[in-house]
Amino acid sequence: MSTTVSDVYVSRTDRDAAIVARQDPVIYGNGAYADALSGEQLAAYERDGFLLMRGLFSPDETRDLLVEVGRMRADPAIRALDEAVIEPRGRAIRSIFRVHRLSGAVARWVRDPRVVNVARQILGSEVYVHQSRANLKPGFEGKEFYWHSDFETWHVEDGMPRMRALSCSLLLTDNTACNGPLMLMPGSHQQFISCRGQTPHNNYQTSLRQQEYGVPDPVSLRLLADSRGVEAMMADAGSVVFFDCNTMHGSSGNISPLPRTNLFVVYNSVDNVPRDPQYGLEPRPEYIAARASRAPVVPLGTAPASYAVSSVAGDEPLEEFSCTGFPR
Ligand code: 6CS
Ligand code: FE
């Protein structure tokens, strides 16, 4: 007799929105799988669903990675790739995905023990990169990222089984009150908002520019916000925000003259490997959700001496990115 495993986190149906209590731990194991965070930091992450670590990377390291993102932004070969997502209105690049495969410096950053060991400790296992991206949010043009749970998308559209993944966001520019800082709802990771509306095929072709499915309803958002408010991650460049895959977050548009450029890596537990997407959806492309390349991230023994591109020669072999019309 075939048994169908009922989905704990049903979403994207024609049923009304609903709020479901989280059925997964936040910290896996007892936080002893790696030794990166203190007991106090772990407790804060478990309570809030995120942790801000100010000044985790030095100004030099942060500047070198910002220069590297700027190089990718200016490279016509990269702009021609699907990995480069354009703003919904205008021509500026909104995000560059799979940056850990397009840049040796970023390939090194995702292995930096200051970030990957936090993920290994919280997720209680070895981890691999489910997704990486640079959200550029350029001055004047950077549009908002409306409220959402990443897990809601990764569960429905990528088939990620459980809440055993997290995002690590390195602020490459100061995130201020004026340039659209990342905002999170403390405690929201403990509730899963089931969203109404069936996902169209190839949804990613619009959702990465402006999300229209998997958008939580205002009543549910109000309930989460009324519970413990909203916190804006206003911090200097070099700071890092770790946030749980289900923490409700978003950011306003950037009409300031200054960019708000953040580098993201999504670490998923090797014990939480995505299956098929739900509802018969086609798997999203590799540059958005890793399927072929799920090798566990091997932490560097120590933090690199520098992230200046000249210093990271000899890194992991980067996949030759295929693009028409430009030399490899
Ligand atoms: O669909 C995704 O995977 C992406 N969408 C959002 C709004 N955040 C996570 C991720 O970059
Ligand atoms: Fe997100």
Side-chain angles (χ1 to χ4, degrees), residues 17-20 144-150 152 183-189 191-196 211-231 246-251:
I19 296 185
V20 174
E144 78 279 358
F145 290 83
Y146 191 74
W147 292 112
H148 64 282
S149 153
D150 291 335
E152 195 277 343
M183 299 185 289
L184 301 123
M185 294 188 186
S188 60
H189 61 308
Q191 285 84 32
F192 175 77
I193 295 185
S194 175
C195 300
R196 181 181 170 78
Q211 193 170 355
E212 294 177 15
Y213 294 86
V215 177
D217 65 286
V219 173
S220 302
L221 286 171
R222 182 63 193 266
L223 281 171
L224 294 187
D226 282 353
S227 168
R228 289 185 51 198
V230 174
E231 274 190 45
N246 188 49
T247 302
M248 193 58 67
H249 65 287
S251 58

Side-chain angles (χ1 to χ4, degrees), residues 4 25 28 46 59 70 72 135 145 147 156 160 192 203 210 246 271 275 278 283 315 326:
T4 52
Y28 283 78
E46 184 160 41
M72 289 188 273
N135 282 348
F145 290 83
W147 292 112
V156 171
M160 183 182 282
F192 175 77
N203 182 44
Q210 185 152 0
N246 188 49
D271 299 326
R275 300 185 289 251
Q278 307 222 338
D315 254 309
F326 290 94

